[in-house]
Amino acid sequence: MENIRKIIHIDMDAFYASVEQRDNPRLRGRPVIVGGDPAGRGVVAACSYEARKFGVHSAMPSSRAKRLCPEAIFIHPRFDVYQQVSQQIMEIFHEYTDLVEPLSLDEAFLDVTCNKKGIASATETARRLRAEIRKNTSLTASAGVSYNKFLAKAASDYRKPDGLTVITPEQAQGFIDQLPIGKFFGVGKVTEQKMRSLGITCGAELRQVPQERLVRLFGKMGLFFHSIAHGIDERPVTPDRIRKSLGREITLHEDIDDMDAIFALLSELADSVGSLLKEEGLKGRTVVLKLKYHDFQSITRSITLDHRLDNAEEILDKALLLLKETEAGTRKVRLLGITVSNFELPGDGPPRPYQLLLPFCDVTEQKEKTGAYSPSMLQP
Amino acid sequence: MKCKIQKTLLQNMLAKVQGFTEKKSTLPILSHILLEISGDSLQVKATDLHTSIQVNSPCEVIQTGACAINGKSFYDIIRELPEQMVEFWVDDGSHAHIIAENNRIKMNVMDAQEYPMVEFMDMDHGYSVDLSIMKPMIERTIFSIPSSSESDSKYTLGGVLLTSGRDETGKGYIEMVSTDTRRLSVVRYYTGEHIDMGGGIIVPRKGLQELKRLMDNKEEGSRVLLTRDSIFYTSPDTLATVRLIDGKFPDYQSVVSPEAFPITTRINAQELHSVLKVCAAMVSDISNCVRFSFHKDRTIVFASNPDQGEVETPIPSVLHGDELDINFNPRYFMDCLSFIEGETEIHLKGSQGPCMITDSGITESKWVIMPMRF
């Protein structure tokens, strides 16, 4: 028994949309969509449960969401506000345990096996966490409680919104067996299709597949699928994950080959990555450009510099340089992403010097071009 | 076509044109050179469409004609032949035959008609610059052209900016400038008269390298001509041209303005150079960073490598302005110090500002180097 961990996964309910409804009473009870302008090419970043009833979901083009739900209220995201609320929630978590692993602004794993409040029951801990989040932020969260990350996350998803689901070791296999294959950790759209074409539609069926076969079909992930199908997931909750890279990407609702539009999007991405780097106080030596062509072929191009950077302009410069090594412009593109990595890590010994650049003062007249594209196109 | 030519003569011609072909191009013809036999001479031409060359040499002409042959293979083969007369002809099909002593060589050729035209126009209107000026100007700027892999997208930095102007007193000059954004090299030559180079144009790095190589041969009667769209090199048997390109170059004038540097130290360039060589050996590939501590009467150069050890060497110098510590990549210093004999002036702004090294002689050189920061 002593080896059984107590893991909680907390997931805020329709986070961005709920924050908007909280701050603006007129939005309450109405379909709210946070994201890009439906007249433009933006996408849905988040939507309220009222909007979900119409079939609206995140990452969907805003224009399509508008067609599905004409009375929806579209709102531009206010990331600074979400960030603040997220900070508040993380602080609550840290009152209970330092083993907090944030997955995004509105989602985290907590290992409460030994918690600061000395609460024996993980279910009780989750109940209190949810109550405190509601009290401090007026927002609701769903929680999943189990003995590993996979089950905790699957559990929090089970009864949304405002739900609390506990999966005990005794219940685990039954829960896994009925779980649709798409809900398994690491199974995205493509893998799900592949699984279904192999006749694997739920946990029970996944469990029947021999390990070797899964490895043959899915490589390393096959091993992992085999384990979680049997309720085994040893991944620890790692607090303050050392960030190895920081990036942003955007899926376009319409495949594009217009270089001006691509430039504008990269410029937005670079701005966004640059300010995130500055926020986190990180500088990286490697800039990676990711591109997905219309046929879903995904490529990356990277450049490693002899100095670390965090400013948007330089990131954009390098991204444009890398863009030349792609077929953008001739082949249509459906996704663009910029990532900066190769940070200075705490274990790297004394700080390495970096080279300063000459202060040429030129106006980048190309900046104006980006006006037509709103930052809301960037998916959170 | 058919001729006989001394092997060494042919080899020298081929050596000269090697760098002008384009080996990586998707157009196979550009990896070829054009051989033309006419009158009493053999002419070898090569071009990558931006830099072009033609070399002439007398030979025993048996039959005139022309063909295109792979430049590198032909050179590699000719080099290995004995020091004798080489007989060369092209048959009706598409093969060249080379006979030297017992060697019987057959090589594929391409139709001479397919070879791009090499034009050497506008030479009459050029401004002639002495090789003793042009060669150092190239040498003093070519090293700070960024390697192509890190070339900037905003500016055209893959070459040297060639520009002209007048100084405050109205004296005309030409200037060559290059930068990899970490350092900048500016070399000015006072022409006296005003040479109009337009808004400034860029000489691609490859062209510069080839011009420099030709100048290294120190051929008698050779000269360099500048025009607004090309640089020419001529000697009695060689004619080479580098086509200049339009591009955006950063505004460098403010960076080299003397007012920007309130601190100055005088130091022996060779002494500093040799100390930095030692430092560079100590810090090689770890951080490439050397600390300069500028004091009133000396400069202390310090380099340390946690895995190897450290170097600390004082060099006498005279400082005007505030004392300061500043870090630099030693190689950037060595690149320009190697051109300076005797004393030089290092101009400084602050521990995070640029530094400028100057040298004046026939040409005026300014090298600006940005420091490193922890």
Side-chain angles (χ1 to χ4, degrees):
Chain A
M1 264 319 269
E2 66 275 16
N3 284 334
I4 295 214
R5 293 182 293 161
K6 293 174 182 142
I7 312 291
I8 300 176
H9 178 257
I10 302 244
D11 192 1
M12 300 300 293
D13 300 321
F15 185 51
Y16 299 171
S18 302
V19 172
E20 296 303 337
Q21 286 180 321
R22 179 194 73 175
D23 294 351
N24 184 351
R26 286 190 304 116
L27 299 178
R28 286 178 204 160
R30 301 177 62 181
V32 173
I33 293 174
V34 178
D37 185 352
R41 295 172 34 174
V43 293
V44 175
C47 56
S48 69
Y49 284 92
E50 293 84 357
R52 289 186 196 191
K53 285 186 198 136
F54 292 85
V56 178
H57 56 77
S58 55
M60 171 186 280
S62 295
S63 51
R64 176 134 178 265
K66 177 85 183 171
R67 278 199 301 276
L68 287 171
C69 181
E71 63 263 45
I73 302 156
F74 283 82
I75 292 171
H76 274 277
R78 298 180 297 155
F79 287 109
D80 49 335
V81 178
Y82 311 147
Q83 193 110 40
Q84 273 171 21
V85 180
S86 175
Q87 192 62 38
Q88 253 181 310
I89 296 163
M90 295 301 159
E91 275 165 22
I92 296 171
F93 296 162
H94 278 277
E95 283 172 26
Y96 289 80
T97 175
D98 284 330
L99 293 176
V100 178
E101 179 180 331
L103 298 177
S104 62
L105 287 181
D106 61 339
E107 206 184 329
F109 282 117
L110 286 74
D111 186 331
V112 297
T113 317
C114 308
N115 59 72
K116 292 178 182 176
K117 309 246 171 175
I119 308 166
S121 152
T123 310
E124 173 61 15
T125 315
R127 201 190 57 73
R128 288 207 210 171
L129 281 166
R130 288 190 345 114
E132 273 198 57
I133 290 171
R134 185 190 283 268
K135 194 179 93 199
N136 292 356
T137 68
S138 314
L139 297 169
T140 62
S142 295
V145 180
S146 193
Y147 58 93
N148 65 34
K149 277 172 142 182
F150 159 60
L151 285 168
K153 190 168 159 78
S156 76
D157 189 47
Y158 190 65
R159 218 171 286 152
K160 248 182 163 309
D162 205 12
L164 170 61
T165 305
V166 182
I167 301 172
T168 63
E170 295 74 36
Q171 297 163 335
Q173 201 59 66
F175 179 84
I176 295 165
D177 284 354
Q178 59 75 42
L179 200 62
I181 195 67
K183 299 271 183 187
F184 274 77
F185 192 92
V187 179
K189 255 191 224 156
V190 178
T191 313
E192 180 178 355
Q193 259 176 16
K194 191 167 168 186
M195 290 270 193
R196 287 189 184 277
S197 73
L198 294 163
I200 307 166
T201 62
C202 66
E205 284 159 358
L206 179 63
R207 190 154 54 90
Q208 307 300 322
V209 186
Q211 190 183 27
E212 310 82 61
R213 181 138 190 266
L214 282 175
V215 172
R216 211 166 44 242
L217 288 166
F218 300 102
K220 242 193 255 172
M221 281 308 277
L223 263 185
F224 181 70
F225 293 148
H226 181 81
S227 297
I228 58 177
H230 289 82
I232 302 162
D233 175 10
E234 302 289 353
R235 290 172 305 156
V237 173
T238 41
D240 297 331
R241 240 177 340 158
I242 296 176
R243 213 181 238 298
K244 294 214 174 95
S245 68
L246 198 155
R248 277 284 175 273
E249 58 183 51
I250 166 172
T251 302
L252 306 162
H253 121 69
E254 206 174 281
D255 302 344
I256 56 170
D257 54 6
D258 172 21
M259 287 307 268
D260 279 351
I262 291 173
F263 174 90
L265 291 165
L266 286 178
S267 169
E268 290 287 354
L269 287 167
D271 280 350
S272 167
V273 171
S275 55
L276 284 167
L277 285 169
K278 289 205 170 85
E279 242 166 59
E280 304 225 357
L282 293 169
K283 282 172 180 255
R285 278 180 59 199
T286 302
V287 178
V288 185
L289 174 71
K290 180 178 168 188
L291 239 144
K292 203 183 270 179
Y293 295 116
H294 62 93
D295 57 1
F296 284 89
Q297 189 204 352
S298 181
I299 58 149
T300 59
R301 294 286 177 267
S302 72
I303 182 169
T304 296
L305 312 158
D306 58 2
H307 64 282
R308 289 176 211 282
L309 55 77
D310 67 352
N311 78 77
E313 203 167 300
E314 209 184 337
I315 294 170
L316 178 61
D317 265 7
K318 302 305 168 202
L320 293 177
L321 204 63
L322 294 169
L323 189 67
K324 290 185 192 161
E325 297 173 28
T326 70
E327 292 170 70
T330 52
R331 263 173 97 183
K332 288 200 174 203
V333 168
R334 59 170 284 121
L335 175 147
L336 286 165
I338 297 179
T339 299
V340 172
S341 60
N342 215 338
F343 301 129
E344 200 166 296
L345 301 175
D348 273 359
R352 288 198 170 199
Y354 59 93
Q355 177 67 46
L356 297 177
L357 301 178
L358 284 159
F360 295 127
C361 38
D362 286 76
V363 200
T364 47
E365 60 284 279
Q366 290 171 312
K367 274 269 167 181
E368 269 84 56
K369 282 196 194 164
T370 63
Y373 301 85
S374 79
S376 59
M377 293 185 75
L378 304 184
Q379 283 180 29
Chain B
M1 66 184 292
K2 189 168 185 175
C3 73
K4 282 185 184 173
I5 185 166
Q6 190 66 45
K7 177 250 180 179
T8 328
L9 216 51
L10 181 57
Q11 182 181 330
N12 290 346
M13 292 173 87
L14 297 176
K16 251 190 193 174
V17 306
Q18 280 307 299
F20 288 79
T21 58
E22 178 60 88
K23 284 142 196 111
K24 287 180 216 143
S25 171
T26 45
L27 289 172
I29 193 79
L30 292 185
S31 63
H32 282 50
I33 56 173
L34 184 69
L35 305 177
E36 278 178 332
I37 299 168
S38 61
D40 60 353
S41 66
L42 169 68
Q43 188 168 59
V44 181
K45 288 182 179 174
T47 185
D48 66 358
L49 306 177
H50 297 286
T51 56
S52 311
I53 187 167
Q54 61 180 54
V55 190
N56 283 294
S57 179
C59 70
E60 189 186 316
V61 175
I62 297 160
Q63 194 191 350
T64 59
C67 74
I69 193 163
N70 184 286
K72 185 174 185 306
S73 309
F74 189 46
Y75 177 53
D76 288 346
I77 283 162
I78 296 299
R79 259 199 318 195
E80 300 308 325
L81 296 179
E83 308 286 322
Q84 293 239 335
M85 283 301 268
V86 175
E87 199 178 332
F88 177 91
W89 82 89
V90 178
D91 60 26
D92 299 339
S94 51
H95 290 103
H97 300 265
I98 305 150
I99 295 175
E101 230 170 37
N102 296 324
N103 297 283
R104 296 276 181 283
I105 301 143
K106 192 165 103 175
M107 284 185 75
N108 297 340
V109 292
M110 288 176 80
D111 187 354
Q113 299 294 324
E114 281 180 40
Y115 205 79
M117 286 274 282
V118 178
E119 289 181 62
F120 299 91
M121 300 174 352
D122 262 353
M123 263 179 60
D124 305 336
H125 312 292
Y127 173 73
S128 174
V129 188
D130 201 274
L131 259 62
S132 63
I133 308 290
M134 202 59 205
K135 193 165 167 260
M137 284 186 86
I138 294 176
E139 285 166 347
R140 286 165 178 239
T141 48
I142 197 167
F143 64 85
S144 53
I145 300 173
S147 58
S148 51
S149 63
E150 55 171 315
S151 59
D152 204 278
S153 56
K154 194 163 39 172
Y155 300 116
T156 310
L157 301 181
V160 159
L161 176 78
L162 179 60
T163 180
S164 62
R166 284 181 210 273
D167 72 355
E168 315 77 62
T169 66
K171 243 193 324 176
Y173 62 80
I174 51 168
E175 211 160 57
M176 288 177 68
V177 192
S178 71
T179 180
D180 61 6
T181 73
R182 289 158 223 159
R183 51 189 171 152
L184 172 82
S185 307
V186 182
V187 183
R188 179 180 288 193
Y189 171 64
Y190 282 100
T191 49
E193 59 186 305
H194 179 63
I195 315 294
D196 186 12
M197 296 300 294
I201 28 189
I202 289 156
V203 197
R205 180 231 294 274
K206 183 185 169 187
L208 285 167
Q209 273 168 341
E210 293 309 320
L211 284 175
K212 187 175 154 293
R213 220 183 359 233
L214 289 171
M215 292 182 201
D216 286 339
N217 293 338
K218 296 199 175 82
E219 287 175 301
E220 233 169 88
S222 57
R223 62 188 187 125
V224 171
L225 283 170
L226 306 183
T227 73
R228 284 173 66 154
D229 45 31
S230 302
I231 297 184
F232 297 97
Y233 168 92
T234 65
S235 76
D237 64 3
T238 305
L239 179 56
T241 173
V242 175
R243 184 149 351 131
L244 308 182
I245 52 175
D246 278 323
K248 192 164 178 277
F249 204 84
D251 176 20
Y252 63 96
Q253 292 294 357
S254 61
V255 173
V256 293
S257 157
E259 296 88 66
F261 303 94
I263 308 162
T264 300
T265 198
R266 283 199 73 80
I267 192 163
N268 183 292
Q270 280 127 316
E271 202 173 336
L272 180 57
H273 189 213
S274 57
V275 170
L276 287 174
K277 273 206 240 175
V278 177
C279 293
M282 176 61 79
V283 298
S284 66
D285 76 61
I286 147 116
S287 62
N288 261 328
C289 180
V290 167
R291 191 182 70 213
F292 292 60
S293 300
F294 293 103
H295 297 279
K296 288 287 172 214
D297 57 348
R298 65 192 190 287
T299 299
I300 299 169
V301 182
F302 175 80
S304 97
N305 178 343
D307 299 328
Q308 310 298 339
E310 53 186 52
V311 184
E312 185 174 349
T313 311
I315 304 166
S317 60
V318 181
L319 180 77
H320 295 282
D322 297 336
E323 300 192 334
L324 82 145
D325 284 3
I326 184 166
N327 298 291
F328 288 106
N329 182 333
R331 292 177 198 285
Y332 291 179
F333 257 76
M334 287 151 63
D335 280 340
C336 44
L337 289 173
S338 62
F339 297 109
I340 308 174
E341 288 172 21
E343 294 243 294
T344 186
E345 278 189 347
I346 300 176
H347 307 269
L348 296 147
K349 190 174 186 179
S351 61
Q352 285 172 23
C355 131
M356 181 164 78
I357 301 171
T358 52
D359 181 49
S360 33
I362 308 169
T363 58
E364 266 181 21
S365 308
K366 289 175 178 173
W367 292 283
V368 179
I369 301 172
M370 285 305 286
M372 298 183 82
R373 245 186 84 175
F374 281 91

